[in-house]
PDB file of all heavy atoms in Angstrom:
ATOM      1  N   ILE A 172       8.873  11.817  13.913  1.00 97.00           N
ATOM      2  CA  ILE A 172       9.189  13.230  14.090  1.00 97.00           C
ATOM      3  C   ILE A 172       7.903  13.948  14.508  1.00 97.00           C
ATOM      4  O   ILE A 172       6.964  14.084  13.725  1.00 97.00           O
ATOM      5  CB  ILE A 172       9.751  13.862  12.810  1.00 97.00           C
ATOM      6  CG1 ILE A 172      10.904  13.009  12.271  1.00 97.00           C
ATOM      7  CG2 ILE A 172      10.218  15.287  13.082  1.00 97.00           C
ATOM      8  CD1 ILE A 172      11.410  13.468  10.923  1.00 97.00           C
ATOM      9  N   PHE A 173       7.869  14.417  15.755  1.00 97.00           N
ATOM     10  CA  PHE A 173       6.722  15.168  16.276  1.00 97.00           C
ATOM     11  C   PHE A 173       7.099  16.643  16.213  1.00 97.00           C
ATOM     12  O   PHE A 173       8.153  17.045  16.694  1.00 97.00           O
ATOM     13  CB  PHE A 173       6.441  14.787  17.730  1.00 97.00           C
ATOM     14  CG  PHE A 173       5.987  13.362  17.936  1.00 97.00           C
ATOM     15  CD1 PHE A 173       6.917  12.329  18.059  1.00 97.00           C
ATOM     16  CD2 PHE A 173       4.637  13.048  18.023  1.00 97.00           C
ATOM     17  CE1 PHE A 173       6.519  11.028  18.263  1.00 97.00           C
ATOM     18  CE2 PHE A 173       4.222  11.731  18.232  1.00 97.00           C
ATOM     19  CZ  PHE A 173       5.166  10.727  18.342  1.00 97.00           C
ATOM     20  N   GLY A 174       6.209  17.490  15.652  1.00 94.00           N
ATOM     21  CA  GLY A 174       6.522  18.891  15.721  1.00 94.00           C
ATOM     22  C   GLY A 174       6.084  19.743  14.548  1.00 94.00           C
ATOM     23  O   GLY A 174       5.189  19.383  13.790  1.00 94.00           O
ATOM     24  N   ASN A 175       6.770  20.886  14.409  1.00 89.00           N
ATOM     25  CA  ASN A 175       6.465  21.874  13.376  1.00 89.00           C
ATOM     26  C   ASN A 175       7.759  22.525  12.912  1.00 89.00           C
ATOM     27  O   ASN A 175       8.853  22.028  13.217  1.00 89.00           O
ATOM     28  CB  ASN A 175       5.485  22.922  13.911  1.00 89.00           C
ATOM     29  CG  ASN A 175       5.961  23.512  15.234  1.00 89.00           C
ATOM     30  OD1 ASN A 175       7.162  23.655  15.464  1.00 89.00           O
ATOM     31  ND2 ASN A 175       5.028  23.848  16.092  1.00 89.00           N
ATOM     32  N   GLN A 176       7.669  23.643  12.190  1.00 84.00           N
ATOM     33  CA  GLN A 176       8.860  24.309  11.679  1.00 84.00           C
ATOM     34  C   GLN A 176       9.775  24.790  12.797  1.00 84.00           C
ATOM     35  O   GLN A 176      10.984  24.893  12.609  1.00 84.00           O
ATOM     36  CB  GLN A 176       8.436  25.508  10.817  1.00 84.00           C
ATOM     37  CG  GLN A 176       7.716  25.145   9.545  1.00 84.00           C
ATOM     38  CD  GLN A 176       8.653  24.764   8.412  1.00 84.00           C
ATOM     39  OE1 GLN A 176       9.854  24.925   8.525  1.00 84.00           O
ATOM     40  NE2 GLN A 176       8.112  24.278   7.317  1.00 84.00           N
ATOM     41  N   SER A 177       9.211  25.107  13.945  1.00 87.00           N
ATOM     42  CA  SER A 177       9.991  25.718  15.021  1.00 87.00           C
ATOM     43  C   SER A 177      10.637  24.725  15.967  1.00 87.00           C
ATOM     44  O   SER A 177      11.724  24.984  16.511  1.00 87.00           O
ATOM     45  CB  SER A 177       9.092  26.660  15.838  1.00 87.00           C
ATOM     46  OG  SER A 177       8.548  27.658  15.002  1.00 87.00           O
ATOM     47  N   ALA A 178      10.013  23.597  16.201  1.00 91.00           N
ATOM     48  CA  ALA A 178      10.530  22.646  17.192  1.00 91.00           C
ATOM     49  C   ALA A 178      10.084  21.241  16.844  1.00 91.00           C
ATOM     50  O   ALA A 178       8.969  21.028  16.358  1.00 91.00           O
ATOM     51  CB  ALA A 178      10.059  23.025  18.595  1.00 91.00           C
ATOM     52  N   GLN A 179      10.968  20.285  17.120  1.00 94.00           N
ATOM     53  CA  GLN A 179      10.665  18.901  16.852  1.00 94.00           C
ATOM     54  C   GLN A 179      11.178  18.021  17.989  1.00 94.00           C
ATOM     55  O   GLN A 179      12.136  18.368  18.675  1.00 94.00           O
ATOM     56  CB  GLN A 179      11.315  18.414  15.560  1.00 94.00           C
ATOM     57  CG  GLN A 179      11.069  19.281  14.349  1.00 94.00           C
ATOM     58  CD  GLN A 179      11.977  20.481  14.307  1.00 94.00           C
ATOM     59  OE1 GLN A 179      13.151  20.383  14.619  1.00 94.00           O
ATOM     60  NE2 GLN A 179      11.420  21.617  13.957  1.00 94.00           N
ATOM     61  N   VAL A 180      10.534  16.880  18.149  1.00 96.00           N
ATOM     62  CA  VAL A 180      11.038  15.828  19.035  1.00 96.00           C
ATOM     63  C   VAL A 180      11.130  14.563  18.188  1.00 96.00           C
ATOM     64  O   VAL A 180      10.164  14.197  17.502  1.00 96.00           O
ATOM     65  CB  VAL A 180      10.124  15.599  20.251  1.00 96.00           C
ATOM     66  CG1 VAL A 180      10.656  14.446  21.103  1.00 96.00           C
ATOM     67  CG2 VAL A 180      10.031  16.872  21.093  1.00 96.00           C
ATOM     68  N   TYR A 181      12.290  13.902  18.244  1.00 96.00           N
ATOM     69  CA  TYR A 181      12.558  12.718  17.432  1.00 96.00           C
ATOM     70  C   TYR A 181      12.551  11.477  18.317  1.00 96.00           C
ATOM     71  O   TYR A 181      13.241  11.453  19.336  1.00 96.00           O
ATOM     72  CB  TYR A 181      13.921  12.839  16.738  1.00 96.00           C
ATOM     73  CG  TYR A 181      14.031  14.040  15.830  1.00 96.00           C
ATOM     74  CD1 TYR A 181      14.370  15.295  16.344  1.00 96.00           C
ATOM     75  CD2 TYR A 181      13.777  13.931  14.471  1.00 96.00           C
ATOM     76  CE1 TYR A 181      14.472  16.401  15.523  1.00 96.00           C
ATOM     77  CE2 TYR A 181      13.883  15.032  13.636  1.00 96.00           C
ATOM     78  CZ  TYR A 181      14.232  16.274  14.165  1.00 96.00           C
ATOM     79  OH  TYR A 181      14.322  17.366  13.348  1.00 96.00           O
ATOM     80  N   VAL A 182      11.804  10.466  17.930  1.00 97.00           N
ATOM     81  CA  VAL A 182      11.762   9.198  18.655  1.00 97.00           C
ATOM     82  C   VAL A 182      12.216   8.087  17.718  1.00 97.00           C
ATOM     83  O   VAL A 182      11.617   7.880  16.652  1.00 97.00           O
ATOM     84  CB  VAL A 182      10.342   8.899  19.187  1.00 97.00           C
ATOM     85  CG1 VAL A 182      10.345   7.591  19.981  1.00 97.00           C
ATOM     86  CG2 VAL A 182       9.834  10.043  20.059  1.00 97.00           C
ATOM     87  N   MET A 183      13.254   7.372  18.118  1.00 97.00           N
ATOM     88  CA  MET A 183      13.792   6.300  17.283  1.00 97.00           C
ATOM     89  C   MET A 183      12.841   5.098  17.278  1.00 97.00           C
ATOM     90  O   MET A 183      12.365   4.663  18.329  1.00 97.00           O
ATOM     91  CB  MET A 183      15.160   5.876  17.785  1.00 97.00           C
ATOM     92  CG  MET A 183      16.204   6.995  17.790  1.00 97.00           C
ATOM     93  SD  MET A 183      16.438   7.706  16.137  1.00 97.00           S
ATOM     94  CE  MET A 183      16.965   6.261  15.217  1.00 97.00           C
ATOM     95  N   SER A 184      12.580   4.569  16.088  1.00 97.00           N
ATOM     96  CA  SER A 184      11.645   3.450  15.971  1.00 97.00           C
ATOM     97  C   SER A 184      12.259   2.119  16.397  1.00 97.00           C
ATOM     98  O   SER A 184      11.547   1.155  16.645  1.00 97.00           O
ATOM     99  CB  SER A 184      11.157   3.324  14.524  1.00 97.00           C
ATOM    100  OG  SER A 184      12.241   2.973  13.661  1.00 97.00           O
ATOM    101  N   ASN A 185      13.595   2.074  16.500  1.00 96.00           N
ATOM    102  CA  ASN A 185      14.229   0.798  16.879  1.00 96.00           C
ATOM    103  C   ASN A 185      14.338   0.597  18.370  1.00 96.00           C
ATOM    104  O   ASN A 185      14.212  -0.505  18.873  1.00 96.00           O
ATOM    105  CB  ASN A 185      15.615   0.676  16.225  1.00 96.00           C
ATOM    106  CG  ASN A 185      16.556   1.812  16.609  1.00 96.00           C
ATOM    107  OD1 ASN A 185      16.095   2.863  17.025  1.00 96.00           O
ATOM    108  ND2 ASN A 185      17.845   1.594  16.465  1.00 96.00           N
ATOM    109  N   ASN A 186      14.562   1.696  19.147  1.00 95.00           N
ATOM    110  CA  ASN A 186      14.776   1.534  20.595  1.00 95.00           C
ATOM    111  C   ASN A 186      14.015   2.553  21.447  1.00 95.00           C
ATOM    112  O   ASN A 186      14.082   2.502  22.668  1.00 95.00           O
ATOM    113  CB  ASN A 186      16.258   1.602  20.910  1.00 95.00           C
ATOM    114  CG  ASN A 186      16.906   2.896  20.431  1.00 95.00           C
ATOM    115  OD1 ASN A 186      16.232   3.890  20.149  1.00 95.00           O
ATOM    116  ND2 ASN A 186      18.233   2.889  20.335  1.00 95.00           N
ATOM    117  N   GLY A 187      13.301   3.489  20.824  1.00 95.00           N
ATOM    118  CA  GLY A 187      12.512   4.450  21.586  1.00 95.00           C
ATOM    119  C   GLY A 187      13.301   5.595  22.179  1.00 95.00           C
ATOM    120  O   GLY A 187      12.749   6.381  22.950  1.00 95.00           O
ATOM    121  N   ASP A 188      14.589   5.733  21.839  1.00 95.00           N
ATOM    122  CA  ASP A 188      15.355   6.873  22.344  1.00 95.00           C
ATOM    123  C   ASP A 188      14.747   8.171  21.835  1.00 95.00           C
ATOM    124  O   ASP A 188      14.219   8.251  20.723  1.00 95.00           O
ATOM    125  CB  ASP A 188      16.812   6.784  21.882  1.00 95.00           C
ATOM    126  CG  ASP A 188      17.602   5.739  22.649  1.00 95.00           C
ATOM    127  OD1 ASP A 188      17.023   5.122  23.560  1.00 95.00           O
ATOM    128  OD2 ASP A 188      18.784   5.542  22.355  1.00 95.00           O
ATOM    129  N   VAL A 189      14.830   9.227  22.667  1.00 96.00           N
ATOM    130  CA  VAL A 189      14.204  10.510  22.377  1.00 96.00           C
ATOM    131  C   VAL A 189      15.256  11.614  22.337  1.00 96.00           C
ATOM    132  O   VAL A 189      16.133  11.675  23.190  1.00 96.00           O
ATOM    133  CB  VAL A 189      13.139  10.851  23.429  1.00 96.00           C
ATOM    134  CG1 VAL A 189      12.439  12.168  23.095  1.00 96.00           C
ATOM    135  CG2 VAL A 189      12.109   9.730  23.550  1.00 96.00           C
ATOM    136  N   THR A 190      15.162  12.487  21.326  1.00 95.00           N
ATOM    137  CA  THR A 190      16.082  13.624  21.224  1.00 95.00           C
ATOM    138  C   THR A 190      15.387  14.768  20.508  1.00 95.00           C
ATOM    139  O   THR A 190      14.376  14.551  19.832  1.00 95.00           O
ATOM    140  CB  THR A 190      17.377  13.223  20.470  1.00 95.00           C
ATOM    141  OG1 THR A 190      18.245  14.356  20.395  1.00 95.00           O
ATOM    142  CG2 THR A 190      17.045  12.757  19.072  1.00 95.00           C
ATOM    143  N   THR A 191      15.927  15.976  20.666  1.00 94.00           N
ATOM    144  CA  THR A 191      15.403  17.119  19.904  1.00 94.00           C
ATOM    145  C   THR A 191      16.332  17.501  18.764  1.00 94.00           C
ATOM    146  O   THR A 191      16.111  18.509  18.099  1.00 94.00           O
ATOM    147  CB  THR A 191      15.199  18.342  20.809  1.00 94.00           C
ATOM    148  OG1 THR A 191      16.425  18.636  21.501  1.00 94.00           O
ATOM    149  CG2 THR A 191      14.095  18.096  21.824  1.00 94.00           C
ATOM    150  N   HIS A 192      17.368  16.693  18.537  1.00 92.00           N
ATOM    151  CA  HIS A 192      18.254  16.934  17.395  1.00 92.00           C
ATOM    152  C   HIS A 192      18.109  15.781  16.417  1.00 92.00           C
ATOM    153  O   HIS A 192      18.156  14.615  16.818  1.00 92.00           O
ATOM    154  CB  HIS A 192      19.710  17.067  17.830  1.00 92.00           C
ATOM    155  CG  HIS A 192      20.625  17.365  16.689  1.00 92.00           C
ATOM    156  ND1 HIS A 192      20.791  18.641  16.183  1.00 92.00           N
ATOM    157  CD2 HIS A 192      21.414  16.559  15.928  1.00 92.00           C
ATOM    158  CE1 HIS A 192      21.634  18.613  15.172  1.00 92.00           C
ATOM    159  NE2 HIS A 192      22.028  17.361  15.002  1.00 92.00           N
ATOM    160  N   ASN A 193      17.987  16.096  15.147  1.00 93.00           N
ATOM    161  CA  ASN A 193      17.767  15.081  14.127  1.00 93.00           C
ATOM    162  C   ASN A 193      18.978  14.152  14.027  1.00 93.00           C
ATOM    163  O   ASN A 193      20.071  14.589  13.662  1.00 93.00           O
ATOM    164  CB  ASN A 193      17.533  15.758  12.766  1.00 93.00           C
ATOM    165  CG  ASN A 193      17.037  14.794  11.721  1.00 93.00           C
ATOM    166  OD1 ASN A 193      17.221  13.584  11.824  1.00 93.00           O
ATOM    167  ND2 ASN A 193      16.394  15.339  10.694  1.00 93.00           N
ATOM    168  N   PRO A 194      18.822  12.854  14.328  1.00 93.00           N
ATOM    169  CA  PRO A 194      19.950  11.929  14.293  1.00 93.00           C
ATOM    170  C   PRO A 194      20.570  11.752  12.908  1.00 93.00           C
ATOM    171  O   PRO A 194      21.708  11.302  12.774  1.00 93.00           O
ATOM    172  CB  PRO A 194      19.334  10.602  14.774  1.00 93.00           C
ATOM    173  CG  PRO A 194      18.122  11.008  15.554  1.00 93.00           C
ATOM    174  CD  PRO A 194      17.591  12.208  14.830  1.00 93.00           C
ATOM    175  N   VAL A 195      19.806  12.071  11.861  1.00 93.00           N
ATOM    176  CA  VAL A 195      20.309  11.917  10.497  1.00 93.00           C
ATOM    177  C   VAL A 195      21.291  13.043  10.138  1.00 93.00           C
ATOM    178  O   VAL A 195      22.085  12.925   9.218  1.00 93.00           O
ATOM    179  CB  VAL A 195      19.150  11.884   9.495  1.00 93.00           C
ATOM    180  CG1 VAL A 195      19.642  11.717   8.061  1.00 93.00           C
ATOM    181  CG2 VAL A 195      18.191  10.748   9.840  1.00 93.00           C
ATOM    182  N   PHE A 196      21.233  14.159  10.888  1.00 89.00           N
ATOM    183  CA  PHE A 196      22.084  15.312  10.638  1.00 89.00           C
ATOM    184  C   PHE A 196      22.947  15.593  11.858  1.00 89.00           C
ATOM    185  O   PHE A 196      22.621  16.463  12.675  1.00 89.00           O
ATOM    186  CB  PHE A 196      21.228  16.542  10.280  1.00 89.00           C
ATOM    187  CG  PHE A 196      20.588  16.454   8.950  1.00 89.00           C
ATOM    188  CD1 PHE A 196      19.417  15.721   8.768  1.00 89.00           C
ATOM    189  CD2 PHE A 196      21.127  17.079   7.846  1.00 89.00           C
ATOM    190  CE1 PHE A 196      18.810  15.622   7.536  1.00 89.00           C
ATOM    191  CE2 PHE A 196      20.527  16.995   6.603  1.00 89.00           C
ATOM    192  CZ  PHE A 196      19.373  16.262   6.436  1.00 89.00           C
ATOM    193  N   PRO A 197      24.041  14.851  12.038  1.00 82.00           N
ATOM    194  CA  PRO A 197      24.909  15.064  13.218  1.00 82.00           C
ATOM    195  C   PRO A 197      25.392  16.497  13.296  1.00 82.00           C
ATOM    196  O   PRO A 197      25.611  17.161  12.285  1.00 82.00           O
ATOM    197  CB  PRO A 197      26.073  14.094  12.954  1.00 82.00           C
ATOM    198  CG  PRO A 197      25.513  13.058  12.026  1.00 82.00           C
ATOM    199  CD  PRO A 197      24.529  13.786  11.171  1.00 82.00           C
ATOM    200  N   LYS A 198      25.576  16.968  14.520  1.00 78.00           N
ATOM    201  CA  LYS A 198      25.960  18.372  14.729  1.00 78.00           C
ATOM    202  C   LYS A 198      27.356  18.684  14.193  1.00 78.00           C
ATOM    203  O   LYS A 198      27.667  19.827  13.883  1.00 78.00           O
ATOM    204  CB  LYS A 198      25.919  18.675  16.223  1.00 78.00           C
ATOM    205  CG  LYS A 198      24.519  18.663  16.801  1.00 78.00           C
ATOM    206  CD  LYS A 198      24.546  19.010  18.286  1.00 78.00           C
ATOM    207  CE  LYS A 198      23.160  19.024  18.862  1.00 78.00           C
ATOM    208  NZ  LYS A 198      23.169  19.353  20.311  1.00 78.00           N
ATOM    209  N   ASP A 199      28.210  17.661  14.090  1.00 65.00           N
ATOM    210  CA  ASP A 199      29.579  17.921  13.661  1.00 65.00           C
ATOM    211  C   ASP A 199      29.751  17.823  12.139  1.00 65.00           C
ATOM    212  O   ASP A 199      30.873  17.871  11.636  1.00 65.00           O
ATOM    213  CB  ASP A 199      30.550  16.925  14.329  1.00 65.00           C
ATOM    214  CG  ASP A 199      30.179  15.474  14.031  1.00 65.00           C
ATOM    215  OD1 ASP A 199      29.063  15.239  13.526  1.00 65.00           O
ATOM    216  OD2 ASP A 199      31.006  14.590  14.315  1.00 65.00           O
ATOM    217  N   ILE A 200      28.644  17.692  11.398  1.00 54.00           N
ATOM    218  CA  ILE A 200      28.716  17.641   9.946  1.00 54.00           C
ATOM    219  C   ILE A 200      28.131  18.921   9.373  1.00 54.00           C
ATOM    220  O   ILE A 200      27.011  19.321   9.709  1.00 54.00           O
ATOM    221  CB  ILE A 200      27.946  16.417   9.392  1.00 54.00           C
ATOM    222  CG1 ILE A 200      28.639  15.122   9.824  1.00 54.00           C
ATOM    223  CG2 ILE A 200      27.871  16.490   7.870  1.00 54.00           C
ATOM    224  CD1 ILE A 200      27.946  13.877   9.307  1.00 54.00           C
TER     225      ILE A 200
END
Side-chain angles (χ1 to χ4, degrees):
I172 309 173
F173 295 85
N175 51 33
Q176 294 277 352
S177 301
Q179 309 81 41
V180 177
Y181 301 84
V182 182
M183 300 302 300
S184 66
N185 58 339
N186 57 18
D188 285 358
V189 182
T190 180
T191 55
H192 183 80
N193 191 338
V195 180
F196 289 81
K198 293 181 179 180
D199 57 347
I200 294 181

